[in-house]
Short mmCIF file of all heavy atoms in Angstrom, two decimals:
data_model
loop_
_atom_site.label_atom_id
_atom_site.label_comp_id
_atom_site.label_asym_id
_atom_site.label_seq_id
_atom_site.Cartn_x
_atom_site.Cartn_y
_atom_site.Cartn_z
N GLY B 41 4.48 -1.82 0.32
CA GLY B 41 5.15 -0.59 0.69
C GLY B 41 4.38 0.68 0.41
O GLY B 41 4.91 1.78 0.58
N LYS B 42 3.13 0.53 -0.03
CA LYS B 42 2.32 1.68 -0.38
C LYS B 42 1.15 1.86 0.58
O LYS B 42 0.93 1.06 1.49
CB LYS B 42 1.78 1.53 -1.80
CG LYS B 42 2.84 1.38 -2.87
CD LYS B 42 3.60 2.65 -3.14
CE LYS B 42 4.61 2.53 -4.23
NZ LYS B 42 4.01 2.23 -5.52
N ARG B 43 0.42 2.92 0.40
CA ARG B 43 -0.75 3.19 1.21
C ARG B 43 -1.95 2.39 0.68
O ARG B 43 -2.05 2.08 -0.49
CB ARG B 43 -1.09 4.67 1.18
CG ARG B 43 -1.69 5.12 -0.14
CD ARG B 43 -1.78 6.64 -0.25
NE ARG B 43 -0.50 7.25 -0.60
CZ ARG B 43 -0.24 8.58 -0.59
NH1 ARG B 43 -1.17 9.38 -0.22
NH2 ARG B 43 0.93 9.01 -0.94
N PRO B 44 -2.92 2.07 1.57
CA PRO B 44 -4.19 1.46 1.07
C PRO B 44 -4.91 2.50 0.22
O PRO B 44 -4.92 3.69 0.52
CB PRO B 44 -4.95 1.17 2.35
CG PRO B 44 -3.93 1.17 3.46
CD PRO B 44 -2.90 2.17 3.04
N GLN B 45 -5.57 2.01 -0.83
CA GLN B 45 -6.36 2.86 -1.69
C GLN B 45 -7.71 2.26 -1.93
O GLN B 45 -7.83 1.05 -2.22
CB GLN B 45 -5.62 3.07 -3.02
CG GLN B 45 -4.36 3.93 -2.91
CD GLN B 45 -3.81 4.37 -4.23
OE1 GLN B 45 -3.38 3.55 -5.02
NE2 GLN B 45 -3.85 5.66 -4.52
N LEU B 46 -8.73 3.09 -1.84
CA LEU B 46 -10.10 2.64 -2.07
C LEU B 46 -10.25 2.26 -3.53
O LEU B 46 -9.93 3.03 -4.42
CB LEU B 46 -11.08 3.77 -1.73
CG LEU B 46 -12.57 3.49 -1.91
CD1 LEU B 46 -13.07 2.51 -0.91
CD2 LEU B 46 -13.34 4.80 -1.87
N ILE B 47 -10.75 1.04 -3.79
CA ILE B 47 -10.92 0.60 -5.19
C ILE B 47 -12.40 0.48 -5.55
O ILE B 47 -12.76 0.67 -6.73
CB ILE B 47 -10.19 -0.72 -5.47
CG1 ILE B 47 -10.61 -1.84 -4.51
CG2 ILE B 47 -8.70 -0.50 -5.47
CD1 ILE B 47 -10.06 -3.22 -4.89
N ILE B 48 -13.27 0.16 -4.61
CA ILE B 48 -14.65 0.05 -4.90
C ILE B 48 -15.41 0.00 -3.55
O ILE B 48 -14.83 -0.42 -2.54
CB ILE B 48 -14.98 -1.18 -5.76
CG1 ILE B 48 -16.39 -1.11 -6.37
CG2 ILE B 48 -14.77 -2.48 -4.99
CD1 ILE B 48 -16.64 -2.12 -7.47
N ASP B 49 -16.64 0.46 -3.54
CA ASP B 49 -17.44 0.35 -2.34
C ASP B 49 -18.89 0.11 -2.72
O ASP B 49 -19.29 0.32 -3.87
CB ASP B 49 -17.30 1.60 -1.44
CG ASP B 49 -17.66 2.90 -2.15
OD1 ASP B 49 -18.16 2.86 -3.30
OD2 ASP B 49 -17.40 3.97 -1.59
N ILE B 50 -19.64 -0.34 -1.75
CA ILE B 50 -21.07 -0.61 -1.99
C ILE B 50 -21.86 -0.25 -0.76
O ILE B 50 -21.35 -0.40 0.37
CB ILE B 50 -21.29 -2.10 -2.40
CG1 ILE B 50 -22.67 -2.33 -2.96
CG2 ILE B 50 -20.97 -3.05 -1.24
CD1 ILE B 50 -22.85 -3.68 -3.63
N ARG B 51 -23.06 0.24 -0.96
CA ARG B 51 -23.93 0.56 0.17
C ARG B 51 -25.05 -0.46 0.24
O ARG B 51 -25.32 -1.19 -0.70
CB ARG B 51 -24.46 1.96 0.04
CG ARG B 51 -23.36 3.01 0.26
CD ARG B 51 -23.78 4.42 0.12
NE ARG B 51 -22.77 5.35 0.63
CZ ARG B 51 -21.66 5.69 -0.02
NH1 ARG B 51 -21.41 5.16 -1.19
NH2 ARG B 51 -20.78 6.51 0.53
N SER B 52 -25.70 -0.50 1.40
CA SER B 52 -26.60 -1.62 1.70
C SER B 52 -27.85 -1.65 0.81
O SER B 52 -28.56 -2.65 0.80
CB SER B 52 -27.00 -1.61 3.17
OG SER B 52 -27.61 -0.39 3.50
N ASN B 53 -28.13 -0.57 0.09
CA ASN B 53 -29.31 -0.55 -0.76
C ASN B 53 -29.00 -1.07 -2.18
O ASN B 53 -29.90 -1.00 -3.03
CB ASN B 53 -29.91 0.85 -0.81
CG ASN B 53 -28.91 1.87 -1.35
OD1 ASN B 53 -27.71 1.60 -1.43
ND2 ASN B 53 -29.41 3.03 -1.70
N VAL B 54 -27.80 -1.58 -2.36
CA VAL B 54 -27.40 -2.07 -3.68
C VAL B 54 -26.86 -3.48 -3.52
O VAL B 54 -26.18 -3.80 -2.55
CB VAL B 54 -26.29 -1.18 -4.28
CG1 VAL B 54 -25.77 -1.71 -5.57
CG2 VAL B 54 -26.81 0.25 -4.45
N GLY B 55 -27.18 -4.38 -4.48
CA GLY B 55 -26.71 -5.76 -4.38
C GLY B 55 -25.39 -6.04 -5.09
O GLY B 55 -24.68 -6.98 -4.73
N GLU B 56 -25.10 -5.23 -6.11
CA GLU B 56 -23.86 -5.47 -6.88
C GLU B 56 -23.40 -4.16 -7.50
O GLU B 56 -24.18 -3.29 -7.88
CB GLU B 56 -24.12 -6.49 -7.97
CG GLU B 56 -22.90 -6.86 -8.78
CD GLU B 56 -23.16 -7.97 -9.83
OE1 GLU B 56 -24.29 -8.36 -9.96
OE2 GLU B 56 -22.17 -8.40 -10.45
N LYS B 57 -22.08 -4.04 -7.63
CA LYS B 57 -21.51 -2.86 -8.28
C LYS B 57 -20.27 -3.28 -9.02
O LYS B 57 -19.51 -4.12 -8.54
CB LYS B 57 -21.14 -1.83 -7.19
CG LYS B 57 -20.63 -0.51 -7.75
CD LYS B 57 -20.41 0.44 -6.58
CE LYS B 57 -19.87 1.78 -7.03
NZ LYS B 57 -19.65 2.68 -5.88
#
Side-chain angles (χ1 to χ4, degrees):
Chain B
K42 301 287 182 65
R43 74 190 78 190
Q45 290 191 295
L46 179 71
I47 55 172
I48 195 166
D49 57 8
I50 193 168
R51 290 178 169 77
S52 58
N53 59 346
V54 176
E56 183 176 5
K57 185 176 179 180

